[in-house]
Amino acid sequence: MKIKHTIQKWHELLEQQKLEILDEILAEDVEFHSPVLHTPQKGKILTKMYLSAAYYVFSQQTFTYVREILQDNQACLEFKTEIDGIVINGVDLIECDENGKITDFKVMVRPLKGLQKLQEKMFELLDQSKAP
Amino acid sequence: MKIKHTIQKWHELLEQQKLEILDEILAEDVEFHSPVLHTPQKGKILTKMYLSAAYYVFSQQTFTYVREILQDNQACLEFKTEIDGIVINGVDLIECDENGKITDFKVMVRPLKGLQKLQEKMFELLDQSKAP
């Protein structure tokens, strides 16, 4: 199963706080699909920016993966966390190519309040990063 | 793989418009987790009500499954549809017991506009069903 090694690397990145592993596991033409916005972010640079922002938001919290469904080159990783007392339950849908590089990374979040809270935190962070 | 037969039945239900198949494939103590609300709906009766409502909302539209990830007793089915011109992209996370009965059914939806549109349509329908 192609995705297995990729997901191991992903967990390594989170556990060892090594964001540089993204360079190794993302394909050049990877697409990132946010839980909030319709239009995907295309390419390694934008995907790294979004995943890093999500990493900083979630790493302040009690983020845990609670379910893992893997098949062929596809993975569905379910997570739970809490921000400011609001429960956030979501999935990372990850697809890799035949070299194990991630070509598609999609995030979905429930419930509505959790999605709104995540949006608030992501906007704060991405806005700060644009500040002079 | 336990879930495979259950998912076949689920597709049969949708294709043949046979909501009565729910009686066969849902466990008595199934829990339904809505994309909008935090608190799960417990038991076969409430889960049937929510899945039937979702069925009526989506059956008016161009609902299609676009990805299927199955492992052991777990499934992640990704779907796409459009309501009033708003794209709705979501997943059904389905878990079954050793008899293939569904014990957990969770739905997540993106983007935010899609989730809001789905909420609007589900509320309209569930509200109508309570009307005298």
Side-chain angles (χ1 to χ4, degrees):
Chain A
M1 192 160 45
K2 294 217 170 15
I3 196 80
K4 208 164 184 174
H5 180 70
T6 311
I7 299 303
Q8 274 169 4
K9 282 275 172 191
W10 174 251
H11 286 308
E12 202 178 303
L13 182 164
L14 298 178
E15 281 155 23
Q16 301 176 14
Q17 303 166 35
K18 285 186 180 170
L19 277 176
E20 63 269 26
I21 291 179
L22 285 176
D23 289 317
E24 196 186 319
I25 59 174
L26 294 179
E28 289 302 326
D29 57 351
V30 58
E31 290 199 3
F32 177 77
H33 308 258
S34 127
V36 176
L37 301 172
H38 169 58
T39 308
Q41 305 296 327
K42 294 187 181 189
K44 205 167 178 172
I45 293 171
L46 281 175
T47 300
K48 269 177 68 179
M49 192 185 80
Y50 273 84
L51 287 178
S52 303
Y55 174 81
Y56 286 116
V57 166
F58 284 134
S59 63
Q60 319 286 324
Q61 323 297 331
T62 54
F63 182 93
T64 329
Y65 281 115
V66 293
R67 173 156 44 172
E68 199 163 284
I69 314 173
L70 310 182
Q71 189 188 5
D72 305 330
N73 64 332
Q74 305 279 354
C76 171
L77 311 182
E78 183 186 1
F79 58 85
K80 277 192 185 161
T81 189
E82 219 173 274
I83 300 183
D84 302 342
I86 304 289
V87 172
I88 297 182
N89 178 205
V91 286
D92 293 332
L93 292 176
I94 301 173
E95 186 181 85
C96 72
D97 64 15
E98 54 187 11
N99 302 312
K101 303 275 188 189
I102 296 173
T103 50
D104 205 90
F105 200 114
K106 188 177 277 191
V107 184
M108 298 189 193
V109 161
R110 64 175 287 283
L112 182 55
K113 273 188 193 168
L115 182 55
Q116 285 162 337
K117 174 54 75 179
L118 178 61
Q119 179 186 35
E120 177 196 314
K121 290 287 168 184
M122 288 289 285
F123 276 14
E124 269 174 30
L125 191 74
L126 292 167
D127 209 45
Q128 269 174 26
S129 68
K130 279 180 208 155
Chain B
M1 195 159 44
K2 295 217 169 17
I3 197 80
K4 208 163 183 173
H5 181 70
T6 311
I7 299 304
Q8 274 170 4
K9 282 273 171 193
W10 175 249
H11 287 308
E12 202 178 304
L13 181 163
L14 297 179
E15 281 154 24
Q16 302 176 13
Q17 303 167 38
K18 285 186 180 169
L19 277 177
E20 63 270 26
I21 292 179
L22 285 177
D23 288 318
E24 197 186 318
I25 59 173
L26 295 179
E28 289 302 326
D29 58 351
V30 58
E31 290 198 4
F32 177 77
H33 308 258
S34 130
V36 177
L37 302 172
H38 169 59
T39 309
Q41 305 295 328
K42 294 187 180 189
K44 206 167 179 171
I45 292 171
L46 282 175
T47 299
K48 270 178 68 178
M49 191 184 81
Y50 273 84
L51 287 177
S52 303
Y55 174 81
Y56 285 116
V57 167
F58 284 132
S59 63
Q60 319 286 323
Q61 322 296 331
T62 55
F63 182 93
T64 330
Y65 281 115
V66 293
R67 173 156 46 171
E68 198 162 285
I69 313 173
L70 310 182
Q71 188 189 6
D72 305 329
N73 63 332
Q74 305 279 352
C76 170
L77 310 182
E78 184 186 0
F79 59 86
K80 277 192 185 160
T81 189
E82 218 173 276
I83 300 183
D84 302 342
I86 304 289
V87 172
I88 299 184
N89 177 206
V91 287
D92 293 333
L93 292 176
I94 301 172
E95 185 181 86
C96 73
D97 64 16
E98 55 187 9
N99 302 313
K101 302 276 188 189
I102 295 173
T103 50
D104 205 88
F105 200 115
K106 187 178 279 190
V107 185
M108 297 188 194
V109 161
R110 65 175 287 282
L112 182 55
K113 273 187 191 167
L115 182 55
Q116 286 163 338
K117 175 54 76 179
L118 179 60
Q119 179 187 35
E120 178 197 315
K121 290 288 168 184
M122 288 288 286
F123 276 15
E124 270 175 32
L125 191 74
L126 291 167
D127 209 47
Q128 267 175 26
S129 69
K130 279 180 206 152

